[in-house]
Amino acid sequence: GDSVTQMEGPVTLSEEAFLTINCTYTATGYPSLFWYVQYPGEGLQLLLKATKADDKGSNKGFEATYRKETTSFHLEKGSVQVSDSAVYFCAASDGGGADGLTFGKGTHLIIQP
Amino acid sequence: KAGVTQTPRYLIKTRGQQVTLSCSPISGHRSVSWYQQTPGQGLQFLFEYFSETQRNKGNFPGRFSGRQFSNSRSEMNVSTLELGDSALYLCASSLESSYNSPLHFGNGTRLTVT
């Protein structure tokens, strides 16, 4: 089945630093790709998504581009804030959603002022 | 609009017992999915219900079952509990299939099996 691999962290950065969280996937088809975020004390919520190759998802200053050739969907932000501290999950959904979403293990991001 | 509500928040059971968890989706959402979250395995898909029908099922034993009611509320049941069933169980709702619509997660039910 599908699998998603992401750096687990914790990743600690200073405010205004550049952020990259790597995510790669394996899939037999062409999945939709997602980043979900879990802020302290809250449930998981969708951050951004991309449904086909070369699509770029963006939200709240975060971006990720669906790269079929490298099977990657890396999350980036140019200048992080303390409020971005959270756990970030990369996820893939196969065609038709037969197996639900396949999630990575999550990356705990800590932003220091 | 109220979010996804899961009850109870915490449960402690002993091996061999059974447990039922409840999930109320966001109003208007027709799909409910369940996930198990553990430190070792991360988030794993259990099943998805859409309009009272199980649409998909993950790789879990038959002890794990669920159902969805006509008002889209869903329950999952775990019978003959094992220590390894200790986990955070997350429910998520979406307008349509989880493939096409973003998932909205509840805060989960923390199950501890002793």
Side-chain angles (χ1 to χ4, degrees), chain A residues 30-32 34 36 38 41-46 49 51 89 93-105, chain B residues 35 37-45 48 55-58 88 90 97-107:
Chain A
Y30 299 97
S32 292
F34 308 82
Y36 279 81
Q38 185 170 30
E42 299 183 17
L44 277 160
Q45 56 187 275
L46 179 68
K49 71 173 186 178
T51 57
F89 294 86
S93 178
D94 74 346
D99 296 323
L101 287 185
T102 300
F103 283 86
K105 293 285 183 72
Chain B
Y35 288 81
Q37 186 176 25
T38 60
Q41 299 298 318
L43 278 152
Q44 293 187 287
F45 172 69
E48 179 182 3
R55 174 176 281 183
N56 303 304
K57 186 171 171 33
L88 180 67
L90 293 171
S97 162
S98 62
Y99 176 71
N100 296 316
S101 305
L103 296 179
H104 297 261
F105 284 84
N107 286 334

Side-chain angles (χ1 to χ4, degrees), chain A residues 54-69:
Chain A
D54 299 325
D55 265 3
K56 179 186 283 189
S58 61
N59 186 23
K60 298 183 180 181
F62 290 89
E63 294 183 338
T65 301
Y66 190 143
R67 302 284 188 202
K68 194 176 85 169
E69 63 276 11

Side-chain angles (χ1 to χ4, degrees), chain B residues 6-12 19-22 89 108-111:
Chain B
Q6 292 187 246
T7 55
R9 288 297 308 276
Y10 303 93
L11 267 176
I12 300 175
V19 67
T20 299
L21 312 181
S22 181
Y89 290 88
T109 293
R110 171 87 49 196
L111 172 64

Side-chain angles (χ1 to χ4, degrees), chain B residues 48-81:
Chain B
E48 179 182 3
Y49 286 87
F50 184 85
S51 295
E52 302 178 66
T53 301
Q54 186 179 88
R55 174 176 281 183
N56 303 304
K57 186 171 171 33
N59 189 25
F60 278 81
R63 301 185 296 106
F64 291 80
S65 63
R67 60 179 175 168
Q68 186 180 31
F69 302 94
S70 58
N71 61 359
S72 293
R73 191 177 69 84
S74 177
E75 290 180 346
M76 68 162 280
N77 184 277
V78 188
S79 62
T80 319
L81 283 165

Side-chain angles (χ1 to χ4, degrees), chain A residues 70-97:
Chain A
T70 54
T71 61
S72 65
F73 193 55
H74 304 323
L75 182 69
E76 296 182 335
K77 186 174 185 182
S79 177
V80 292
Q81 306 300 314
V82 172
S83 57
D84 294 326
S85 298
V87 182
Y88 293 81
F89 294 86
C90 185
S93 178
D94 74 346

